[in-house]
Amino acid sequence: MSISAEPTPIEYIEQLLDEQRFEEAESLLLEQLNRKKNLAAVYNALAIIAIESYQDYHRAEKYYKQAIDYHENSSTLYFNLAILYEQFLDQPLEAMSCYEKAIELDSNYVDAYINLAELCIDLNHDVERAFSCSQRVLELEPNHARNLNNLGCLFIKYKNDAQSAIPYFEKSVALSTNPATALANLADAYVRAERYDEAKEAYEKALELDSDNPLVCHNYAHVLRHYFQAYDEAASYYRKAIEIDPYSLVSYQGLRSLYAHNLHDSKSAVEVLVSALAYFNEEEGLVLEIANMYDFELNDYKKALHYYERVLEINPNNLLALNALAYLNVEIVKDYLVALDYYLRVLEVDDETPSTYVNIGHLYFYHLSDYQLAKRYYLKADARIQGKKSPIKYAGELYYNLGMIYENYLSDEYHAIESYEKAVSLGQDQNAQKKLISLYTHQSSRIH
């Protein structure tokens, strides 16, 4: 009969950690530190407990640094500290420094090279460093699937070289135990290389392995839409991407564009964007886009007014919404005082654009019959037009109206003639010409 040996204290602590009995393990580790302070392995284990049991990442950082103080040549400790900085403390530059230290201590540390390369890729930082790390791993482990995928990403992202990327992705797919990510990247590379049938097949295989990847669903929808004209199938993948990640606006926009431009269904297109408001209700640009679609594409002015007003709730100084509300209140609602209020709010934000003064002048001239105020705003527009080097298309109407005000309401023939002449000088304005001829004739008869 043989008796199995009792585990050593270190083995027993490792067993407790494996079984996630963290409190017992921590108690034994602290007992060891009471007996001897310079135990790097103990501080390393305490850091693991701080992460996994307490989610106290700053305490873990302190333990790792204490461990390094007692074992400053440990590449593993620097690697562990880098992981902490990268994944838990959101300190990528500190993480990079620790990965580099781990590599300095162990020039064959494959995982450190790979993590450093991926961090460089994610941060768009020191691309050549990422390439050199990946090339080093290629020397150490030519068949490392993750590294091959990284090399493909580097060629795609920074060299814009899909042809060079494809063999790396293909090899990564062949070697990986879970090739979903490499397949998705391979599909993207095939698209860039205009190998659309192969891209379609790769996307389908990637989704078989990882059906809940919203980016892959979105990219596959894009390919189905643009290269296979499979609009219904594309719509289903856009919807799936939205269902998986409703906080990614890009898939809503893809589905909206499909309905609007491929299926010519503006109503469904705007409904997609309205559904996005459940997650992006403060997204000014989205609300404005919805308002514009109701206004210009669907002629649903009631809803357009509603969404333009929502834009102003988000940003009271949005000039596009203020101008649209002013215009709709003039042309559709016929509430000229409300329109005037919106135009005056436009001036509070931008008092240099001539068209706003022209629009206010038109309001007073055509609808409110206040010709003095109409003249005042037309003249303010004229003062700003004089500073413009390029021609202003609405200036002719402005000067014609000024002439009408001077002639018919202010009995000022001199300025009427001056205004009509300006209108005529801007183009073939027959009404202004007739007015000028009439006034010239009238003045001539008065002289004789």
Side-chain angles (χ1 to χ4, degrees), residues 7-266:
T8 66
I10 293 298
E11 290 172 338
Y12 182 56
I13 290 171
E14 290 176 352
Q15 179 182 329
L16 292 175
L17 290 174
D18 290 340
E19 295 172 0
Q20 296 190 349
R21 293 159 63 185
F22 296 121
E23 287 187 15
E24 295 175 65
E26 184 180 30
S27 177
L28 291 172
L29 289 165
L30 292 173
E31 283 180 16
Q32 290 203 14
L33 285 183
N34 285 333
R35 292 193 293 269
K36 190 174 182 180
K37 294 292 186 186
N38 62 343
L39 298 174
V42 171
Y43 287 112
N44 183 66
L46 286 169
I48 293 170
I49 292 171
I51 294 169
E52 297 192 9
S53 181
Y54 302 112
Q55 291 78 53
D56 188 340
Y57 307 122
H58 289 290
R59 190 200 301 187
E61 179 188 18
K62 184 184 79 170
Y63 283 138
Y64 279 136
K65 287 184 174 180
Q66 287 176 300
I68 288 170
D69 286 341
Y70 295 118
H71 194 353
E72 60 185 16
N73 293 324
S74 171
S75 58
T76 300
L77 288 173
Y78 278 104
F79 180 83
N80 291 349
L81 182 55
I83 295 288
L84 178 73
Y85 281 133
E86 181 181 359
Q87 297 183 8
F88 300 104
L89 290 175
D90 191 25
Q91 295 178 237
L93 296 181
E94 287 81 356
M96 292 178 73
S97 177
C98 289
Y99 285 133
E100 288 168 349
K101 184 65 178 179
I103 290 167
E104 179 187 322
L105 293 168
D106 180 359
S107 61
N108 296 330
Y109 204 146
V110 167
D111 287 341
Y113 283 116
I114 288 177
N115 285 13
L116 179 55
E118 289 177 349
L119 193 51
C120 289
I121 293 170
D122 291 341
L123 297 176
N124 289 315
H125 178 89
D126 198 350
V127 177
E128 293 308 316
R129 178 66 164 150
F131 267 107
S132 66
C133 287
S134 296
Q135 291 293 345
R136 176 61 177 155
V137 175
L138 197 61
E139 296 169 9
L140 295 169
E141 293 188 25
N143 293 330
H144 197 296
R146 184 172 149 200
N147 184 60
L148 292 165
N149 180 68
N150 289 345
L151 278 164
C153 290
L154 285 164
F155 277 104
I156 283 282
K157 188 170 183 177
Y158 298 110
K159 304 288 187 182
N160 197 26
D161 184 353
Q163 296 294 350
S164 295
I166 286 171
Y168 288 111
F169 288 136
E170 289 176 334
K171 192 172 181 181
S172 179
V173 168
L175 293 170
S176 178
T177 55
N178 184 11
T181 299
L183 275 165
N185 290 336
L186 176 60
D188 293 343
Y190 281 145
V191 171
R192 291 180 183 234
E194 299 181 4
R195 294 161 62 175
Y196 302 119
D197 289 326
E198 290 166 286
K200 186 173 185 289
E201 182 180 356
Y203 279 128
E204 288 169 352
K205 288 180 178 178
L207 287 169
E208 286 176 11
L209 295 170
D210 183 10
S211 61
D212 291 333
N213 188 313
L215 181 59
V216 178
C217 289
H218 171 87
N219 289 349
Y220 188 33
H222 179 87
V223 168
L224 288 169
R225 174 191 169 196
H226 288 283
Y227 304 111
F228 293 93
Q229 289 73 55
Y231 301 131
D232 290 339
E233 194 176 359
S236 71
Y237 278 100
Y238 279 131
R239 283 192 290 268
K240 186 172 182 181
I242 291 168
E243 179 184 345
I244 298 166
D245 182 9
Y247 290 94
S248 177
L249 190 55
V250 65
S251 293
Y252 294 99
Q253 292 289 5
L255 184 56
R256 179 210 68 83
S257 182
L258 185 151
Y259 277 124
H261 299 120
N262 300 114
L263 300 178
H264 308 291
D265 183 353
S266 295

Side-chain angles (χ1 to χ4, degrees), residues 409-427:
Y409 303 104
L410 302 180
S411 301
D412 184 345
E413 287 189 0
Y414 174 80
H415 285 103
I417 290 172
E418 183 182 59
S419 298
Y420 288 139
E421 286 175 341
K422 283 185 177 180
V424 170
S425 72
L426 292 170

